[in-house]
Amino acid sequence: YTPGSIFKLVTSAAALEKSASAQAGTHTCAGKTIIGGQEIVCMSSHGTLAMPEALAHSCNVAFGELAGKVGTKALMEYAEKLGLNGTLTCDGYTARSTVDLSDADDGSVAWAGIGQYTDQITAIQFLRFMGVIANGGEAAEPYLMQKISRAGQTVYEAKTESTGALLPADAAQALGAMMRSTVVNQYGAWQFGTLTVCGKTGTAERETGPADAMFAGFVQDDAYPLAFVVFVERGGSGSQVAVPIAAKVLSACQQALDAPNPNE
């Protein structure tokens, strides 16, 4: 899928690792701008924003400019480092994400940093990236089947393996804090009850028809070690469609984890 604005988390991560001052740098949004001869348009005129506010308001102007500062090569390499420019094999299923900027001009790089252009992302690979942020820079490699038993004997059991450090701990912490602020100030933390949810929505435009609605993030509670990605084909608004779906699923997960025998 074209990721839309959830990809701004990748652009943010790359910027945070490249420069410690990136979070404090400001961008001025008048509703639109020209980058590399292409018009970058926002939903509204956001004024002057630092990165946390730009992420919360999902400002296309700010992230188009930020992608330019990160640079074509660094943005593509960072997507690859995070597992979003290549394949991921999981219990026999192979997922492929692609962030190819080899032929991109400055305007196309801006759109790629916003999450459009030719970016193509799979849910399971983006889910792994959410785990990286949640766990301070590294995540568990995903698997689908935890255990297989026959006649009371375990014939297969998955082993948890780490991705290794893919993101500096301070960058992961800063990005998680921005995602939490976005949920509190934009989507409404009340939707998630007592869960401390950190996330970012996306509304990925298609050439025709309604946009794909997206929401990706994680729960910042030790008792509920959950990451999530919601993709709704032609769902429209990420905040209006994908967020409520995530809230219902996370609530069900919370109830299951609170049960006396959560593994049954």
Side-chain angles (χ1 to χ4, degrees), residues 24-227:
T26 60
H27 302 265
T28 300
C29 171
K32 60 183 178 180
T33 191
I34 302 295
I35 300 177
Q38 296 191 44
E39 187 176 53
I40 309 297
V41 180
C42 267
M43 294 295 290
S44 63
S45 178
H46 295 121
T48 300
L49 302 169
M51 188 191 295
E53 292 78 31
L55 187 70
H57 291 285
S58 204
C59 178
N60 288 346
V61 169
F63 275 91
E65 293 177 350
L66 195 61
K69 289 183 178 180
V70 170
T72 305
K73 182 179 179 181
L75 187 58
M76 191 163 66
E77 288 179 348
Y78 210 84
E80 184 169 351
K81 172 184 175 181
L82 293 172
L84 299 172
N85 191 16
T87 60
L88 172 65
T89 300
C90 178
D91 291 0
Y93 165 72
T94 299
R96 178 182 294 277
S97 292
T98 305
V99 180
D100 184 1
L101 307 180
S102 55
D103 296 325
D105 58 18
D106 290 347
S108 296
V109 170
W111 278 116
I114 292 166
Q116 295 287 154
Y117 188 50
T118 59
D119 299 353
Q120 292 288 289
I121 303 299
T122 68
I124 194 168
Q125 287 171 284
F126 211 83
L127 179 67
R128 180 177 178 265
F129 172 40
M130 294 300 95
V132 169
I133 301 172
N135 287 298
E138 63 179 294
E141 292 285 7
Y143 54 81
L144 299 176
M145 187 66 66
Q146 184 179 42
K147 184 167 63 175
I148 299 175
S149 299
R150 292 196 184 100
Q153 299 293 319
T154 298
V155 296
Y156 168 81
E157 189 166 6
K159 295 180 180 179
T160 300
E161 298 181 1
S162 171
T163 62
L166 301 182
L167 187 65
D170 57 348
Q173 183 179 11
L175 193 51
M178 286 191 284
M179 293 168 69
R180 177 59 183 166
S181 178
T182 297
V183 170
V184 171
N185 295 311
Q186 295 297 317
Y187 313 139
W190 59 268
Q191 296 193 69
F192 304 99
T194 60
L195 295 175
T196 307
V197 172
C198 308
K200 177 72 185 80
T201 60
T203 303
E205 300 294 335
R206 290 172 169 263
E207 291 185 5
T208 60
D212 293 333
M214 299 177 175
F215 185 44
F218 58 91
V219 179
Q220 205 171 44
D221 298 320
D222 291 340
Y224 309 106
L226 303 167

